Amino acid sequence: MSEAPARAVEARGSTPPRPNAVVAVLAFAGIVVSLMQTLVIPIVPELPRLLDASPSNAIWAVTATLLAAAVATPVAGRLGDMFGKRRLLLVSLGLLVAGSVVAALSDSLIPMIAGRVMQGLAAAVVPLGISIMRDELPAERLTGSTALMSASLGVGGALGLPSAALIADNFDWHVLFWTSAALGAVAIALVLAFVPESKVRTGGRFDLIGSLGMAVGLVSLLLAVSKGGDWGWTSGTVLGLLATAVVVLLAWGVYELRTAQPLVDLRTTARRQVLFTNLASVAFGFSMFAMSLVLPQLLQLPSATGYGLGRSMLAVGLVMAPQGLVMMAMAPLSAAISKARGPKVTLMAGALIVAAGYALNILLMSEIWHLVLVSCVIGAGVGFAYGAMPALIMGAVPASETAAANSLNTLMRSIGTSIASAVAGVVLAQMTTTFGTTALPSESGFKTVMAIGAGAAILAFGLAVFLPRHRPAVTAEPAAADPAEPVEGARAPEAVAAKP
């Protein structure tokens, strides 16, 4: 993020943007990118055979995407603020298409990993889309539209699982990636046709050293967290990666505070509203992903265990799919509450709903309809929270830093999901029961993970308590006593000045 003042640039063409078309296209692009994240889940058990690789190497087709997304999201956000958010949105979608084609043509591990890395580099589409909305939409449309865009992450993931399972069961596995490429190409065409270039840019110099430092620190951290279970949490490799992450990220923070045009403006992220929103996002990312780890396993474990339901991957997808629809349905309600009471209240409500969903899951886990109900309740809470987070971030940063700030917030959620995967893996590996000659996660292990998910949601609620209280939104300079604490929901003066 940069302290350089935003400058308006000429729009491409003279036709004003059509809000409905802009929102629909950007939400579709977000869904396409989130589909990519669940694309390989149905074929993960088969990847060693399909790619002629060992199981430990084949899983890099998943891990590589996670690492690439973590690095690309804040970098693309900053570049979008500098050179145009629509331009970087198109670059991200182009990488998605290219990566999908590479993966679709692959029959071995190396090209598959390369394709999945390119797909991961497209992860910034959602924060870039939210930032374009801030610059292009009328103020009265902004809250609801950003809530819908943010919910597209969950919608794509929920709908992608049954779709991918259906394709994997009935067609050659390469069709998964050809489908992803086709959807990405459609998204590019729609963006070119309906989405204008954002008129707010910072210009300036890209912080190459800062981006490299952040990449090394994040990759070290996420690699240690995601592979700790396989390599051993006390192994020299994992401990070395964690130590590298701590040292590099501390040095990176010092550098970012001293450079004139940093990749991430740490002074802005230290503002109370931004800081506690990002911390709550980590907790929410953890809480949301815990469900995604528990429910599929419960559904697929043999019914002879006494708690498994013995269902196929396609059935898993169909059970999880309503969650995405609920998240989308919650977007307008989330926006309405944010307008009336402030996004702080919406975030807190979402946290309580998620915690209630996990508590319900501890009691109800023996029937398919139990798990459908639980996933919908948790999905409703996540929909509330994900709609509130962009509003909180954009109410606290100038328009010139919107893409970078939203990208950092998205990264915080991703870190939460990575930590959830590691914690759940440790719990389920330690709390097992023997079924025949095989050790399987026990029922108490699943309940423990659910309890931890509920605790993470309660933590997010507690962090949200420290957010500034809601004040009426304005369309001019906020009349706040503390200039470091902007009014929630207020459109920054740069954005107002840049409107056509």
Side-chain angles (χ1 to χ4, degrees):
M1 302 177 198
S2 172
E3 296 179 354
R7 56 186 176 88
V9 297
E10 292 297 323
R12 297 189 180 211
S14 57
T15 304
R18 289 173 281 179
N20 290 338
V22 170
V23 172
V25 169
L26 292 176
F28 174 75
I31 290 172
V32 169
V33 170
S34 61
L35 284 171
M36 171 270 300
Q37 298 174 357
T38 57
L39 197 64
V40 298
I41 290 179
I43 62 171
V44 163
E46 301 295 321
L47 282 177
R49 178 181 62 83
L50 297 173
L51 302 176
D52 191 23
S54 67
S56 60
N57 287 334
I59 200 63
W60 279 100
V62 178
T63 306
T65 307
L66 166 71
L67 300 179
V71 173
T73 300
V75 171
R78 172 65 180 130
L79 290 172
D81 283 332
M82 293 175 62
F83 302 115
K85 303 176 183 76
R86 176 180 181 264
R87 180 176 298 172
L88 264 295
L89 181 71
L90 290 169
V91 169
S92 297
L93 289 171
L95 288 169
L96 172 66
V97 173
S100 299
V101 171
V102 170
L105 294 173
S106 68
D107 286 303
S108 58
L109 183 63
I110 297 303
M112 171 62 80
I113 291 176
R116 291 291 288 166
V117 166
M118 295 171 71
Q119 286 186 315
L121 295 176
V125 164
V126 170
L128 286 168
I130 291 173
S131 304
I132 291 173
M133 288 178 177
R134 182 185 193 181
D135 294 343
E136 300 299 331
L137 298 183
E140 65 273 11
R141 292 288 307 273
L142 184 62
T143 305
S145 299
T146 56
L148 180 64
M149 184 72 190
S150 191
S152 69
L153 280 170
V155 174
L159 298 181
L161 190 56
S163 302
L166 184 64
I167 292 173
D169 285 346
N170 294 280
F171 301 95
D172 180 81
W173 65 274
H174 294 90
V175 175
L176 290 169
F177 296 100
W178 287 121
T179 302
S180 174
L183 290 173
V186 171
I188 289 174
L190 292 174
V191 170
L192 288 170
F194 296 105
V195 178
E197 178 58 270
S198 173
K199 294 166 286 300
V200 180
R201 301 186 192 173
T202 62
R205 177 182 60 85
F206 179 68
D207 181 13
L208 180 59
I209 295 177
S211 64
L212 292 174
M214 187 191 66
V216 172
L218 284 177
V219 168
S220 299
L221 173 63
L222 293 176
L223 193 55
V225 169
S226 61
K227 303 295 287 185
D230 296 330
W231 295 343
W233 290 102
T234 58
S235 67
T237 302
V238 171
L239 293 177
L241 286 169
L242 291 174
T244 299
V246 171
V247 172
V248 171
L249 290 175
L250 285 175
W252 171 80
V254 172
Y255 175 82
E256 292 295 280
L257 288 171
R258 292 181 176 179
T259 191
Q261 296 182 2
L263 177 72
V264 177
D265 189 340
L266 295 180
R267 293 179 177 84
T268 297
T269 58
R271 293 175 180 173
R272 182 156 55 110
Q273 186 158 314
V274 180
L275 175 63
F276 281 97
T277 299
N278 283 334
L279 291 175
S281 297
V282 175
F284 245 106
F286 184 108
S287 188
M288 181 194 73
F289 199 64
M291 175 198 61
S292 300
L293 294 168
V294 168
L295 297 192
Q297 293 193 62
L298 281 174
L299 283 161
Q300 292 183 89
L301 283 175
S303 56
T305 59
Y307 52 90
L309 298 178
R311 303 292 175 169
S312 66
M313 177 58 73
L314 178 58
V316 171
L318 293 174
V319 168
M320 302 288 285
Q323 177 200 18
L325 301 178
V326 170
M327 287 180 64
M328 181 172 286
M330 288 298 106
L333 182 57
S334 170
I337 296 175
S338 293
K339 287 181 180 179
R341 303 296 301 276
K344 171 183 176 177
V345 173
T346 311
L347 180 60
M348 294 170 70
L352 291 179
I353 295 171
V354 170
Y358 277 110
L360 193 64
N361 199 182
I362 293 174
L363 300 174
L364 301 176
M365 54 183 289
S366 59
E367 302 286 345
I368 285 184
W369 72 267
H370 291 171
L371 302 187
V372 173
L373 174 63
V374 165
S375 68
C376 288
V377 172
I378 295 176
V382 172
F384 268 64
Y386 275 20
M389 289 172 188
L392 286 163
I393 293 295
M394 292 189 294
V397 301
S400 59
E401 301 179 11
T402 302
N406 278 319
S407 296
L408 182 63
N409 182 251
T410 301
L411 174 62
M412 293 300 104
R413 296 184 228 174
S414 298
I415 289 175
T417 62
S418 300
I419 296 173
S421 179
V423 171
V426 170
V427 171
L428 296 179
Q430 295 298 318
M431 303 180 70
T432 62
T433 185
T434 301
F435 180 68
T437 59
T438 305
L440 298 175
S442 66
E443 183 178 12
S444 59
F446 287 122
K447 290 185 176 181
T448 300
V449 174
M450 295 171 201
I452 294 173
I458 295 298
L459 175 60
F461 176 88
L463 291 167
V465 169
F466 293 96
L467 290 167
R469 65 182 178 85
H470 173 63
R471 295 166 231 156
V474 295
T475 55
E477 184 70 27
D482 181 0
E485 299 291 351
V487 178
E488 291 182 12
R491 290 173 66 84
E494 296 96 325
V496 175
K499 294 291 290 180

